[in-house]
Structure formats: structure tokens, C-alpha cells
């Protein structure tokens, strides 16, 4: 028998609209003075009328569609009543029984996990407004900044379908990426655009994985996790804590709410669900119901290519390894760069005279070689140079056209790896063209056999001891001699040619 973790997430994503959910105030993202982006509506003064932000509805529906949800034909807003200083109306406008989206799912890949692929059910997604922000000052006072109050949110509730902290983290990261692809949120956890509550319980399973006893047990809800690391650590801690309770025959009897204490590295009890507020939901009388069918049909046609589809396409079309495709597609701008680079490269490939009228399999093989070259040069080599210079694909001076040309120089052996790195560095310096750099800095491969033969002879006569040892049977010294010739050519010789020339020379001596 084993304890199986059962985990469900509730996620809030701040929508990147220009104005708030129900008024014309600018949404608060950059540093502005507290309580400047406010008006009678978002301050909850009597007699005002909220007006729904159409862009927020579209953004929320796009998310619902991206999560494979059914979009409600009829939806409405409700009042969720509770009293707290961050909520001036003493109710939050949210959605209760008719959310904009229900019954979706997202497939995640969990490399090295117990399940390689997991389908996570989406219970619902609904629109609501954010609360203001409390600042608990030292001493007894609490200050409230209402700038955030009324910012549009979409809340996404998953089924309890996760079986590990890792699965939950991967799902959240995928959700962040989906939001970015849709352009509806930056979904930056550090900035509070993406916030997560994790619900965790355990259940007993037998050795065949069959559930023993209750299908679901009382859960703990860990509130306000604001980084991927916290989500993972809090769930792991909660699994350990509850396992101990089960092992001592005292499993949780009621659902509770806990908080994550990052300094103590543990979850802490906040309140039990039995005492939780009764929100007395009722329909918001000031906002007409939403009729969403036509808009849903329109938005379905406008859905961009989503990360999972793009990753699969990059693997198929560009012959990228799954891990490389993932790395590239994690950054939409990097993915655009790669896409542009390959379209140049494939155009170049198809136009090559020697590839005219060849079989498709030959072309495929060449495309695979280009895929490996681009992955190697872009992700490891250029990636390393960018890190050294603290810049990224957004700020670097290399265009996809120039990068594609650079790859063709490598692919046709006009540049070897050593010289290639020098060219790449020079391209980063001023954005210039790789062929020009190669010529002006004389970095092109030394193809002139005469020059190479001279270098080979020089190296042999300068290293009589090593040559003697090689001839006495120390084969590994060949590598040393190749290295010496390469150095003499300042890295521009082709090491294969050098090797052959050395072998011939050493034999004939
Ligand atoms: P609540 O009564 O707390 O509102 P819900 O049924 O609305 O609970 O579910 C809230 C979240 O908790 C969802 O993400 C759901 O998947 C998850 N959840 C529900 N029951 C469990 C359970 N027994 N263990 C873990 N997660 C659960
Ligand atoms: Zn306002
Ligand atoms: Mg609930």
C-alpha cells in the first residue's frame, strides 16, 4: 500500500488590459503613487454603475479556448460578499454558477516523471476583479493601496488531477507560456500577475494502483504561492506532513487552509474550512448577462498557434530534439528568430544546384543536419556568448538572415568551429555580415594546400622529439601535431585535411 498525492490548483491570472474590469481607470502595473488609479466605481462608492471591459471578456475567453474549454453561451456576473479592507464594496464582482468557460483540459509532458504525459482537467475559468493591496505596517496600522483594486483577473480551477509537485509546477509553467502566447498577460509570478493556491490531500492505493478507501480525502489549501519554487516546495512539504499524519493513524479529518512560510520552509495552519466565510453569492444586478456564442465563434478563428503545437512543429519541420524545441518555444521571440532562420536556410537548401532533382529523403537528411547545426550554434554557442555579454535575443545585433548565412558557412565547411566562434563574436559586436567578417579577418578555412603543407612541414621540423615518439608507436602524439598545425593556422585550417597531410608526411619521412 502507498499514499498517492491528489493535487488541484486554483490560479489567478491578471489580464493585460489597458483599463480595469468595470471602470476606465488605467490598470496598475508600473510604479505609480498609491491610490492614484482610482475612481468612484473601483472605490465602491454608492450609486455608481460598473461597465464590463470587453477586452477582458475576450482575453478570458481566449484563455478558455486555449484550455480546450466549452465557452458558455450565457454567462453572468455575481457578487461574492465578504468584508475586508481591500474590498471597498464589501463584495467582489466574480462569477459563480455560470462561468465563461468549463470542462477543459491541458496535456503536460513530465520528462522523467512517473507519468510522462498527464492530462489535467480544467473544471472552470471565470472572470473577476482583483482586490486592492494591503500593506501591514509595523505597529498596528494597515495601509491600503486601491490601485490594484478592480484589475481584471481570470481564475482557473483545475480538477484534482496532479500526482506530484513537479506535475503542478510544469502545468503552471505551461499556463504562463499559454498566457504569453495569447498575449493576454505577462503572467510573471514575481510581479503577481500569476498567483496560485494549491490543494493537497493523500489517498491510499494498492500495489496495482487501485484506490483503497475514499476516492478523495479532506484537503489542505495552501494559499498565495507566488513563485514556481514556492508552489513546488509547499506541495512537497504538504505531502510529507500529511504522510506522517496518515502513518500515525491521524489523517486530516477536515479541510483546512494553510500558508507557506518560506523562511521556516513549512506550511502553517491559517483557518479551518468549517469556519470559512459563507460568501452569500447572488447575481450582480447592475450588469446584464453575457451572450457569448458569436464572440466565441469569432475568437476560435483567431486563436494563435499554442506552445505545444509549436513545439511539435519545430520537431517535425526543423528536426529539433524535443528538449531543444521546448527551450526555443519557451521564449516566443526566440522561437520567431528560429522560425525565420530556418525559412532562410530551407530556401537556401532547396536552391542548391547539387540538390536539384534529388529524392525527398536526401533533402530530409540535409534538413536534419541543419537542425542539429542551428540547435548547437544557437542554444549552446551563441547562448553562451549572450550570457557572457548579459544580452539576449531581443537586444542582440544578429539578424536571422545573418545567422542563417553563418550556418551555411559552417554547413559548407567554409568556416570551422574555432573560426566560427570568432565570426559569431564579431557579428555580435556590430551586427555585420558573416561572409564579410570572414574575409576581412581572414577567418575562412585555409584551403590552399600550399600554405597548409608549409605549416605541416614547419611543425614537423619544430617538434623532432614528438615526431620521434610518434614513430616509436605513441599514436596519441598525432593529435598533438594536428593541434600544433591548427594553432599555426590560427584555427582556420580544416582539421581533417591537416590530419591526412600529417599522416602522409610522417610516413614518407
Ligand atoms: P472548495 O470546497 O475548497 O471550494 P472545490 O471542490 O471547489 O473545493 O475545489 C477547489 C480545488 O481543490 C480544485 O482545484 C480541486 O481540484 C481541488 N480539490 C478538491 N478536492 C480535493 C482533494 N480531496 N484533494 C486535493 N485537491 C482537491
Ligand atoms: Zn476606477
Ligand atoms: Mg470551490
Amino acid at each position: 500500500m502507498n499514499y498517492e498525492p491528489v493535487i488541484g490548483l486554483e490560479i489567478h491570472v491578471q489580464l493585460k488590459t489597458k483599463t480595469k474590469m468595470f471602470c476606465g481607470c488605467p490598470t496598475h502595473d508600473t510604479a505609480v503613487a498609491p491610490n492614484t488609479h482610482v475612481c468612484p466605481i473601483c472605490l465602491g462608492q454608492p450609486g455608481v454603475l460598473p461597465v464590463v471591459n470587453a477586452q477582458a471578456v475576450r482575453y478570458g475567453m481566449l484563455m478558455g479556448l486555449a484550455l480546450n474549454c466549452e465557452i458558455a453561451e450565457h454567462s453572468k456576473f455575481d457578487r461574492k460578499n465578504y468584508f475586508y479592507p481591500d474590498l471597498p464594496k464589501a463584495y467582489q464582482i466574480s462569477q459563480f454558477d455560470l462561468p465563461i468557460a468549463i470542462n477543459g483540459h491541458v496535456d503536460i509532458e513530465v520528462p522523467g516523471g512517473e507519468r510522462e504525459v498527464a492530462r489535467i482537467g480544467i473544471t472552470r475559468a471565470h472572470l473577476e476583479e482583483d482586490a486592492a493591496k494591503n500593506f501591514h505596517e509595523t505597529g498596528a496600522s494597515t495601509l491600503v493601496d486601491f490601485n490594484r483594486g478592480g484589475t481584471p483577473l481570470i481564475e482557473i480551477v483545475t480538477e484534482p488531477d496532479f500526482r506530484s509537485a513537479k506535475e503542478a509546477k510544469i502545468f503552471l509553467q505551461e499556463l504562463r507560456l499559454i498566457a504569453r502566447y495569447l498575449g493576454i498577460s505577462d503572467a510573471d509570478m514575481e510581479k503577481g500577475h500569476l498567483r496560485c493556491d494549491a490543494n493537497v490531500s493523500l489517498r491510499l492505493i494498492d500495489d496495482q494502483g487501485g484506490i483503497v478507501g475514499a476516492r478523495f480525502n479532506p484537503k489542505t489549501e495552501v494559499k498565495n504561492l507566488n513563485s514556481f519554487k514556492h508552489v513546488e516546495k509547499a506541495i512537497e512539504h504538504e505531502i510529507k506532513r500529511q504522510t506522517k499524519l496518515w502513518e500515525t493513524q491521524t489523517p486530516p479529518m477536515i479541510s483546512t487552509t494553510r500558508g507557506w512560510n518560506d523562511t521556516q520552509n513549512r506550511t502553517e495552519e491559517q483557518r479551518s474550512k468549517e469556519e470559512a466565510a459563507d460568501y452569500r453569492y447572488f447575481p450582480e444586478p447592475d450588469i446584464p448577462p453575457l451572450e457569448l456564442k458569436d464572440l466565441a465563434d469569432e475568437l476560435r478563428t483567431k486563436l494563435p498557434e499554442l506552445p505545444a503545437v509549436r513545439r511539435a512543429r519545430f520537431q517535425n519541420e526543423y528536426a529539433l530534439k524535443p528538449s531543444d524545441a521546448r527551450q526555443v518555444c519557451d521564449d516566443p521571440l526566440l522561437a520567431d528568430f528560429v522560425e525565420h532562420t530556418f525559412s532562410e536556410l530551407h530556401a537556401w537548401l532547396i536552391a542548391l544546384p547539387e540538390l536539384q532533382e534529388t529524392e525527398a529523403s536526401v533533402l530530409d537528411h540535409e534538413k536534419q543536419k541543419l537542425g542539429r547545426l542551428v540547435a548547437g550554434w544557437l542554444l549552446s554557442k551563441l547562448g553562451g556568448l549572450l550570457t557572457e555579454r548579459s544580452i539576449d535575443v531581443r537586444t542582440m545585433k544578429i539578424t536571422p538572415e545573418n545567422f542563417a548565412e553563418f550556418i551555411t558557412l559552417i554547413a559548407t565547411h567554409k568556416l570551422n568551429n574555432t573560426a566560427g566562434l570568432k565570426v559569431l563574436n564579431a557579428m555580435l559586436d556590430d551586427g555585420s555580415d558573416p561572409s564579410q567578417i570572414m574575409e576581412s579577418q581572414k577567418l575562412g578555412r585555409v584551403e590552399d594546400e600550399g600554405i597548409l603543407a608549409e605549416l605541416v612541414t614547419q611543425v614537423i621540423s619544430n617538434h623532432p622529439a614528438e615526431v620521434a615518439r610518434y614513430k616509436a608507436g605513441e599514436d596519441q602524439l598525432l593529435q598533438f601535431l594536428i593541434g600544433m598545425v591548427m594553432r599555426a593556422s590560427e584555427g582556420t585550417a580544416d582539421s581533417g585535411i591537416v590530419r591526412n597531410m600529417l599522416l602522409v608526411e610522417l610516413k614518407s619521412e
Side-chain angles (χ1 to χ4, degrees):
M1 302 260 255
N2 254 314
Y3 298 106
E4 179 177 64
V6 174
I7 304 155
L9 299 179
E10 292 163 285
I11 302 134
H12 286 93
V13 182
Q14 240 181 40
L15 299 173
K16 205 164 64 172
T17 52
K18 290 203 180 69
T19 56
K20 291 187 181 180
M21 187 72 218
F22 301 112
C23 64
C25 289
T27 42
H28 169 63
D29 196 28
T30 44
V32 293
N35 297 312
T36 48
H37 290 170
V38 292
C39 74
I41 295 175
C42 56
L43 286 178
Q45 291 179 17
V48 294
L49 268 185
V51 175
V52 176
N53 181 332
Q55 184 69 303
V57 175
R58 295 168 75 91
Y59 281 177
M61 287 169 70
L62 281 174
M63 179 57 100
L65 289 168
L67 302 178
N68 301 299
C69 289
E70 298 159 29
I71 301 296
E73 290 193 9
H74 316 286
S75 183
K76 69 172 168 68
F77 286 97
D78 300 277
R79 291 186 179 178
K80 177 179 179 178
N81 298 278
Y82 68 92
F83 184 73
Y84 206 63
D86 62 8
L87 195 67
K89 300 193 292 296
Y91 61 84
Q92 176 192 31
I93 306 180
S94 179
Q95 298 195 286
F96 183 51
D97 53 346
L98 291 176
I100 54 168
I102 55 167
N103 286 342
H105 63 85
V106 174
D107 292 326
I108 52 166
E109 284 168 36
V110 194
E114 265 183 48
R115 318 187 272 181
E116 287 267 321
V117 178
R119 171 159 292 195
I120 307 303
I122 305 295
T123 315
R124 57 184 280 152
H126 69 251
L127 289 165
E128 59 185 31
E129 55 178 338
D130 208 347
K133 207 165 183 173
N134 288 336
F135 292 88
H136 301 288
E137 300 289 296
T138 42
S141 66
T142 290
L143 302 176
V144 190
D145 176 4
F146 288 95
N147 284 343
R148 195 183 70 179
T151 301
L153 298 177
I154 181 155
E155 177 174 340
I156 296 153
V157 182
T158 79
E159 291 290 297
D161 286 347
F162 303 97
R163 297 290 168 262
S164 69
K166 190 176 176 191
E167 288 184 0
K169 187 175 94 173
I170 288 175
F171 172 86
L172 263 189
Q173 287 170 336
E174 187 72 2
L175 193 69
R176 171 178 64 174
L177 199 56
I178 290 172
R180 289 181 180 172
Y181 270 56
L182 294 172
I184 64 170
S185 176
D186 294 335
D188 205 329
M189 281 197 99
E190 277 71 51
K191 292 188 182 147
H193 304 152
L194 179 65
R195 289 167 253 157
C196 178
D197 304 335
N199 299 270
V200 184
S201 68
L202 298 181
R203 66 184 171 201
L204 263 179
I205 51 164
D206 59 30
D207 294 337
Q208 283 72 47
I211 299 165
V212 181
R215 193 161 120 79
F216 292 117
N217 291 303
K219 64 183 166 71
T220 53
E221 178 180 1
V222 190
K223 299 287 268 182
N224 298 326
L225 298 164
N226 50 20
S227 77
F228 294 107
K229 195 169 252 153
H230 289 181
V231 171
E232 196 173 25
K233 275 162 63 174
I235 294 174
E236 269 163 9
H237 172 272
E238 207 36 45
I239 292 170
K240 275 199 204 113
R241 191 186 68 84
Q242 291 184 27
T243 303
K244 269 191 210 132
L245 291 175
W246 280 83
E247 283 172 351
T248 52
Q249 271 79 52
T250 55
M253 300 303 284
I254 51 166
S255 291
T256 51
T257 304
R258 300 177 74 85
W260 174 247
N261 182 327
D262 198 50
T263 26
Q264 303 279 336
N265 224 348
R266 62 172 192 223
T267 61
E268 291 169 344
E269 170 123 28
Q270 288 186 332
R271 61 181 150 87
S272 81
K273 267 270 152 143
E274 285 180 334
E275 304 155 26
D278 167 8
Y279 293 120
R280 294 182 296 115
Y281 278 99
F282 64 86
E284 165 62 62
D286 290 339
I287 301 177
L290 301 169
E291 302 302 329
L292 300 177
K293 182 160 185 333
D294 292 346
L295 187 53
D297 290 342
E298 179 202 324
L299 291 177
R300 218 171 261 118
T301 66
K302 296 203 171 137
L303 215 53
E305 183 178 43
L306 293 170
V309 178
R310 198 171 203 194
R311 284 192 290 261
R313 186 166 63 79
F314 276 30
Q315 288 178 46
N316 292 334
E317 279 179 28
Y318 305 148
L320 292 183
K321 282 193 300 186
S323 57
D324 290 340
R326 172 168 293 275
Q327 192 185 339
V328 166
C329 294
D330 270 354
D331 179 346
L333 265 150
L334 180 61
D336 290 345
F337 183 90
V338 166
E339 184 129 38
H340 202 143
T341 300
F342 274 109
S343 87
E344 297 279 329
L345 281 173
H346 287 178
W348 167 78
L349 195 67
I350 291 167
L352 283 179
E354 61 267 38
L355 287 182
Q356 297 311 306
E357 291 167 39
T358 50
E359 290 164 39
S361 64
V362 177
L363 206 61
D364 271 354
H365 184 71
E366 294 303 317
K367 283 186 179 175
Q368 277 166 15
K369 280 206 278 194
L370 285 176
R372 281 196 297 275
L373 278 183
V374 169
W377 279 97
L378 183 75
L379 299 178
S380 51
K381 302 219 175 73
L382 180 59
L385 296 180
L386 292 179
T387 313
E388 264 171 34
R389 293 172 183 231
S390 309
I391 50 176
D392 78 351
V393 68
R394 284 161 187 71
T395 43
M396 74 171 180
K397 295 208 175 100
I398 302 179
T399 63
E401 290 81 5
N402 280 351
F403 189 68
E405 186 183 342
F406 169 78
I407 293 292
T408 66
L409 294 174
I410 299 277
T412 52
H413 304 287
K414 294 203 173 91
L415 274 176
N416 66 18
N417 290 355
T418 320
L421 214 51
K422 287 184 190 159
V423 170
L424 209 52
N425 255 311
M427 289 167 76
L428 279 173
D429 287 339
D430 57 8
S432 51
D433 173 282
S435 308
Q436 273 168 18
I437 298 170
M438 192 174 91
E439 265 164 41
S440 66
Q441 300 197 21
K442 305 216 177 347
L443 288 168
R445 188 183 73 192
V446 177
E447 284 177 281
D448 186 336
E449 303 249 332
I451 299 178
L452 269 188
E454 216 166 277
L455 295 179
V456 167
T457 323
Q458 257 174 35
V459 164
I460 288 180
S461 67
N462 287 346
H463 297 89
E466 284 80 4
V467 169
R469 281 167 59 198
Y470 170 78
K471 287 188 171 165
E474 287 186 55
D475 286 346
Q476 73 275 18
L477 280 160
L478 180 63
Q479 206 46 51
F480 166 80
L481 295 169
I482 295 174
M484 286 295 117
V485 179
M486 292 302 289
R487 188 189 285 180
S489 79
E490 291 177 3
T492 57
D494 182 300
S495 58
I497 298 177
V498 170
R499 186 192 160 85
N500 287 339
M501 292 178 87
L502 270 169
L503 283 173
V504 172
E505 278 302 301
L506 290 167
K507 222 178 231 152
S508 69
E509 268 196 24

